[in-house]
Structure formats: C-alpha cells, structure tokens
Amino acid sequence: MAGLLYIVPTPVGNLEDMTFRAIKVLKEADLILAEDTRTSSVLLKHYDIKGRLESHHKFNEHKTVSIVKERILAGMNVALISDAGTPGISDPGFLLVRTCVQEGIEVQTLPGATAFVPALVSSGYPCDRFCFEGFLPQKKGRQTRLTELAMETRTMIFYESPYRLVKTLEQFAEFFGEDRECSVAREISKKFEEHRRGTLTEVAAWYREHEPKGEIVIIVAGAPEVKKEKKSYHKADED
C-alpha cells in the first residue's frame, strides 16, 4: 500500500509557531525532506524530532522527485519542509506535489505559517482580494510584469531580499506612481519584527537611510478602480 506525502509548514521566525499536528507528523514520518538540512536540524532538535532527514531543494529536486515518488509508492510516509513557511510558496515543493498527484499518491498539506498572510493582514490594505507575486524576475520579464501590474486593483504581495529592497521600491514608484501606498514587513514573528508604512517614495527613502535586514514582504496597495461612465440612452439614437 502506498504511503502519503505530507506538506508541513514550519515557523517563519518564532519556533513556537509550530503546530502540534506538524510536530506529530514529523515525528511519525519515515522520511523528512528539507530545503537545507542544517537549518531544519535546529527546528527538529528543538522539538526532539529524530526522523531520517534528506535534502530536497531547487538545485536537486528534478533528480530526487522520481526517487521520492517510488519510495512513497513502496509505502513510505514522507514529510516535506522548507527553511521557513509553507513548501511550494516561493520554495521547493510544487514539482514533488504535482508528480505525486499525477501518480495518484495522497497529498496532505497541513495549515500553518506563511510569511505573506500576517504581512498582508497587518498592512491595513484590503485583503478580501489580493494577488501574490512572490519574487519578481530579476532581469528578463521584470519590466513587462511591472507594466502589467501597474493597473492591478487588488492588493499586491511581493517577496524581496533586503539587499534589493530599496531598488525594488524605487522601481515600484516608477511603474506604480510615487504616491502609491505600501507596507514593508520585516522579520515576521521575530523579536525585531517591523512594519514600515507610507508611500513607495517615503518607504524607499527610509530604508535608504536604515539598512534593512532579515526576511522582507512588500505589500502594495492596488490601483484605484476606474469608474465606467454610464452611457445615456435616447430614443433618437435609434433613428
């Protein structure tokens, strides 16, 4: 009988954000796949999880997916974790999940930590409708994507490196307008968590003077809705 693939979210900062079920699944799994075994070892040691640990990251996933699939088909229960957050959300995971789904293997994704959710809710911008963009392309296709997003009316969510934050905010100001509102969330759930709000120009200026560190989530307010003018109807128009 085939085993299962578990997708297990891990804390994005505070280790206490781990769920009871996630700990149970990791303790009972036959194999734990981790994006970086060194990083994950800290978490596993904290919760006294002693399962078999192997690496599964963007540089080897194309080679390991078929091997993992065969192990699950042979009856192993495998748990996939990333360095932080939910695997598959701007982290390795999609390829393995797709392969298992295609093979008819049951995939159970546990609810849990994802960096963009607290950043979005804390921003103060509408979160009933939003679009998640993750990391934008660094070169090819970046300007095209920003041009497409310029008129996006939903709240937009981006991930970014602290080293590229200022440059990205300046690009956003160029494409979305200097007065477009934004919120930059830094170090979610950690000791020095910070939310910096204002226009794109204001927030870029702040981080130009205060070097950002840690994990970054950028929330950008959507473009104003364009109201469509109602056409008046006159019987004479038919004549």
Side-chain angles (χ1 to χ4, degrees), residues 5 12 40 42 48 56 83 151 153 160 199 215 232:
L5 172 66
V12 297
S40 296
V42 176
D48 195 30
H56 181 85
D83 289 348
M151 298 308 295
T153 57
E160 189 52 281
T199 66
E215 302 294 326
S232 58

Side-chain angles (χ1 to χ4, degrees), residues 107-128:
V107 178
Q108 290 190 13
T109 301
L110 279 62
T114 303
F116 79 80
V117 174
L120 171 63
V121 175
S122 296
S123 70
Y125 303 131
C127 47
D128 55 335

